Amino acid sequence: MLQWPDNAPVGSEQCTELIRQLIDTFCTQYHGPTQRLYRKSLTYFFTWWGSLDEDGGRQEAFTVQLLRRYADGLKSRECTGQQKVLEPRTVNAYLAALRAFCRWLQETGRIQTNPMKEIRGVRVRKGFVRDSLTEGEVAELLTTFDRSVTDPLARERVLRDYAMTVLWVATGLRSIELARAQRRHLTSKEGAVLLLVHGKGRDMADTDAPVVLEPWVLVSLNDYLDHHEQCHLARADRPIRERRPDHPLFAWLRGPGHVYSKKRNMPLLRGCRGLSARSIQKMMLEHLKAAKLYRLIDEQTGNIRPISPHSLRHTAASLALENGAELHHVQQMLRHADIQTTELYVHHKDRITNAAERKIPNFTAHLPHKNK
């Protein structure tokens, strides 16, 4: 098992440097928010590990017992010395970073077995689903895309974002699944066009859980793809840009100033580098604001409705159920492992529609406005 660095007292420069090198080596395989989260979480763990006062001046070995003690400390907040209890999702995020770290240690031969396999996260309480959009609100959202523009780059952006939005609402995809979609994931079976989904926690697209693309969804998608295909045609001022099956379904705009890395976006592939989930969410947030659906005030309560880009996934589920879809079919569309997760949509609606409170008679109807 991994041991605390020998001859490296806690807090010493040598100890700090050894930990930094180990974390840096691990984090090079990740980018952006994931890397920052993992770096923060692992630094927190090593700080906690180093603070343990063991007999003989030696730190406890990197074992299942140590990690279980750390997990229990996170859940009770004892490992931080603070009174505030961490939210279950926060605890699971810290443990997820440590779980990925242990998997990497095993793959690189630093440890023989993965001790985190025996450590479970905190069960997150399932509550009501977030708010979703109505059919009328979806129509308002789609009107924010001006598809009459003629400038080539501006038109490509509008057609791309419009096609993503239609696909998002029509299939309930997550933003990360939109970002990972590739041209080769489009296929046909039984007379229908399918999109294989590369979901979270998976190494590749899942052939067993596709989403079905209705003809009206394909119209907007084909409009964008037909426009984007122009960048692959040969011209006198540029070479042929080869079409490849692993090209992203939704790509960054081509041309100077529209990519942030020319090293990663070579001329042969320029215009065919996939969008990130964060950029897709940012795009949708801008259009929700333009449609005045973001931070929308509920007229009945005066509260802000919890609408976010992820609400489009909930919208797909809610609209499907409202229009007669079977629960297990919605489960397959959303790719929920547990049907109880899908049942939240039904329970939420049924709780309101058939509420017991509606059976209580109005005993105030015949009371005078003023007491005599």
Side-chain angles (χ1 to χ4, degrees):
M1 282 295 176
L2 194 68
Q3 298 288 337
W4 188 263
D6 291 334
N7 303 320
V10 178
S12 66
E13 292 184 4
Q14 182 184 4
C15 174
T16 303
E17 180 62 20
L18 288 172
I19 293 173
R20 186 191 65 79
Q21 290 179 3
L22 184 62
I23 294 178
D24 285 350
T25 305
F26 164 71
C27 287
T28 52
Q29 58 187 316
Y30 300 99
H31 303 279
T34 301
Q35 185 186 92
R36 291 193 293 271
L37 173 62
Y38 282 7
R39 189 182 299 277
K40 175 183 175 182
S41 302
L42 292 175
T43 302
Y44 184 85
F45 166 74
F46 277 104
T47 302
W48 172 83
W49 185 15
S51 68
L52 298 180
D53 186 13
E54 300 296 331
D55 294 335
R58 295 182 62 86
Q59 308 308 128
E60 186 178 342
F62 192 79
T63 61
V64 175
Q65 290 74 23
L66 175 72
L67 298 182
R68 183 172 288 118
R69 180 177 173 184
Y70 174 68
D72 292 341
L74 282 175
K75 297 171 186 177
S76 64
R77 199 57 166 166
E78 292 178 358
C79 62
T80 64
Q82 299 181 20
Q83 297 297 322
K84 182 179 178 182
V85 178
L86 293 176
E87 292 290 337
R89 295 183 188 277
T90 305
V91 173
N92 289 341
Y94 276 87
L95 295 180
L98 197 54
R99 190 170 291 109
F101 179 65
C102 289
R103 186 167 57 248
W104 173 77
L105 289 175
Q106 184 181 26
E107 291 172 352
T108 55
R110 290 174 168 84
I111 58 176
Q112 294 181 350
T113 58
N114 185 347
M116 279 300 292
K117 285 186 175 181
E118 300 186 29
I119 309 299
R120 294 185 177 274
V122 182
R123 184 177 179 85
V124 178
R125 177 180 174 273
K126 295 181 179 180
F128 284 152
V129 296
R130 292 179 66 84
D131 204 348
S132 58
L133 302 176
T134 65
E135 289 188 50
E137 289 170 339
V138 171
E140 293 178 15
L141 176 62
L142 295 179
T143 58
T144 62
F145 298 91
D146 184 9
R147 290 177 291 159
S148 64
V149 295
T150 56
D151 177 75
L153 282 177
R155 182 166 178 77
E156 181 171 353
R157 180 193 295 275
V158 170
L159 292 178
R160 180 198 66 191
D161 294 351
Y162 180 80
M164 273 196 296
T165 304
V166 171
L167 183 61
W168 206 339
V169 177
T171 60
L173 291 174
R174 301 178 178 91
S175 55
I176 186 64
E177 294 167 345
L178 287 167
R180 291 175 175 176
Q182 297 179 357
R183 294 292 296 271
R184 60 181 174 176
H185 296 160
L186 287 172
T187 184
S188 60
K189 191 174 183 180
E190 303 293 337
V193 177
L194 310 177
L195 175 65
L196 306 182
V197 180
H198 185 173
K200 61 179 183 179
R202 298 184 180 274
D203 297 328
M204 61 184 67
D206 192 347
T207 58
D208 296 328
V211 291
V212 179
L213 306 186
E214 285 291 279
W216 60 273
V217 178
L218 287 172
V219 171
S220 58
L221 182 59
N222 287 331
D223 285 346
Y224 161 65
L225 293 178
D226 290 343
H227 185 87
H228 178 73
E229 286 296 314
Q230 300 302 314
C231 76
H232 293 284
L233 300 179
R235 289 194 335 205
D237 59 340
R238 70 183 184 194
I240 296 176
R241 289 168 176 157
E242 178 188 6
R243 293 181 178 88
R244 294 166 50 122
D246 60 346
H247 278 169
L249 192 60
F250 301 106
W252 283 95
L253 299 181
R254 58 190 181 276
H258 294 278
V259 294
Y260 68 78
S261 172
K262 291 185 178 180
K263 292 183 179 179
R264 292 176 57 193
N265 190 27
M266 304 304 291
L268 183 66
L269 305 177
R270 191 155 296 161
C272 291
R273 186 168 60 82
L275 296 167
S276 66
R278 183 177 292 271
S279 63
I280 293 174
Q281 293 169 358
K282 182 180 178 181
M283 175 276 295
M284 181 48 55
L285 189 59
E286 292 174 353
H287 282 278
L288 285 171
K289 291 179 179 179
K292 298 181 179 180
L293 296 173
Y294 181 68
R295 294 192 178 279
L296 187 66
I297 302 297
D298 190 311
E299 295 181 355
Q300 293 181 310
T301 65
N303 294 329
I304 297 176
R305 287 174 55 192
I307 296 294
S308 69
H310 193 66
S311 297
L312 271 68
R313 176 172 168 83
H314 301 312
T315 299
S318 298
L319 292 180
L321 289 169
E322 289 175 5
N323 287 277
E326 297 291 339
L327 183 64
H328 68 281
H329 292 155
V330 177
Q331 178 196 10
Q332 293 171 349
M333 179 183 73
L334 298 180
R335 298 163 307 285
H336 285 156
D338 189 347
I339 197 171
Q340 290 183 352
T341 305
T342 317
E343 286 176 346
L344 288 174
Y345 294 95
V346 178
H347 292 167
H348 182 37
K349 183 177 179 62
D350 183 68
R351 170 69 182 92
I352 297 173
T353 305
N354 300 313
E357 294 89 332
R358 298 181 182 275
K359 302 300 182 181
I360 299 176
N362 181 0
F363 45 76
T364 67
H366 304 292
L367 292 178
H369 294 289
K370 292 183 180 181
N371 293 329
K372 295 183 180 180

